[in-house]
Amino acid sequence: MTEDLTSFTRGGIAVVAGATGGIGSALARRIEASGRFDAVERLARSLAPGFDLEDEDSIAAAARRIGAMGPLRLFVDATGLLSDAQMQPEKALRQIDPAVMERSFRINAIGPALLIKHFAPLFPREGRGVLTTLSAKVGSIGDNRLGGWISYRASKAALNQILRTASIELARRQPELVLLALHPGTVETGLSRPFARTGLTVRTPDEAARRLLSVIDGAGREDSGAFLSYDGERLPW
């Protein structure tokens, strides 16, 4: 299992946040197998020395630790929350719960924004770098034809705007840094399994990771701030 990632200069550090999830763990394995980086750091709540997407201090501490290791070249945010024992996606307006909506935004938008805040400065001013976050096609406002899933849709739409805005600011001082919002498709993971519809193509985490890394590898500076699907298609905002 290899992934060349030939667009990256050898050396430096790669980071995967959400590295214990289905897609995150597959991404970390493939990035490590590529041999392009000096180290592949995995971040997740269950991994030492501790990391919590809802705790900015823990994010800042992880950034300081990794920043001391060498230049950051690749950062993949594979975090996200659709449902768990405490929350389910809404099917109608009457089901909106402010606490659920707030939690969805904390995990799917505010947390990734803090990752960008603390890890983007670790990329060097010169040399290719990529910072990407896993978004979702259901976060597209232009593509929304079914309704429902209000909190999740809105939080992913907010994430897209955060990444797009960050790409504009960062281009001024880190012109070779590419920021991407990526839709992984429907993947056989705990997040999507309860909601996969009959007729959808469901991919394994490893296949999803392979496709996502191919998009990352092929993205140029002109793509920074884009919302892309796993096959490279540009998705409507």
Side-chain angles (χ1 to χ4, degrees), residues 3-10 34 36 128 217:
E3 199 66 54
D4 289 337
L5 293 173
T6 55
S7 63
F8 291 89
T9 302
R10 288 191 180 276
S34 75
R36 303 298 297 186
R128 174 176 168 77
D217 203 24

Side-chain angles (χ1 to χ4, degrees), residues 54 97-108 110 151:
E54 298 180 76
D97 181 325
V100 168
M101 182 169 281
E102 179 186 357
R103 185 164 178 240
S104 186
F105 270 77
R106 287 203 313 268
I107 298 296
N108 296 322
I110 298 172
S151 296

Side-chain angles (χ1 to χ4, degrees), residues 94-209:
R94 65 179 178 276
Q95 295 177 336
I96 289 176
D97 181 325
V100 168
M101 182 169 281
E102 179 186 357
R103 185 164 178 240
S104 186
F105 270 77
R106 287 203 313 268
I107 298 296
N108 296 322
I110 298 172
L114 293 173
L115 292 176
I116 296 172
K117 172 184 174 180
H118 288 282
F119 281 92
L122 304 184
F123 285 88
R125 291 181 64 89
E126 297 182 354
R128 174 176 168 77
V130 177
L131 188 157
T132 183
T133 187
L134 294 192
S135 186
K137 192 174 182 180
V138 296
S140 166
I141 295 173
D143 187 65
N144 185 358
R145 297 177 178 85
L146 296 176
W149 290 24
I150 299 160
S151 296
Y152 187 70
R153 285 184 186 275
S155 64
K156 289 295 187 179
L159 171 62
N160 290 347
Q161 181 68 283
I162 289 164
L163 183 126
R164 176 71 173 180
T165 302
S167 74
I168 295 168
E169 176 182 335
L170 294 171
R172 299 171 188 143
R173 61 177 182 267
Q174 292 161 294
E176 295 185 73
L177 176 59
V178 178
L179 279 73
L180 302 171
L182 297 179
H183 166 58
T186 304
V187 184
E188 179 60 27
T189 65
L191 184 146
S192 61
R193 189 177 298 117
F195 306 101
R197 301 193 305 273
T198 302
L200 288 178
T201 299
V202 180
R203 296 177 178 85
T204 66
D206 187 66
E207 174 64 11

Side-chain angles (χ1 to χ4, degrees), residues 10-85:
R10 288 191 180 276
I13 310 300
V15 177
V16 178
T20 56
I23 299 177
S25 59
L27 284 164
R29 287 194 301 270
R30 281 192 165 269
I31 294 168
E32 198 164 52
S34 75
R36 303 298 297 186
F37 305 97
D38 293 332
V40 179
E41 289 295 301
R42 294 163 166 83
L43 298 177
R45 181 177 291 183
S46 60
L47 299 177
F51 173 79
D52 186 343
L53 201 62
E54 298 180 76
D55 179 359
E56 184 175 5
D57 288 343
S58 77
I59 294 172
R64 288 193 297 270
R65 176 177 64 83
I66 291 170
M69 298 172 61
L72 184 59
R73 292 295 183 185
L74 173 62
F75 187 96
V76 181
D77 169 26
T79 63
L81 177 65
L82 173 58
S83 68
D84 61 11

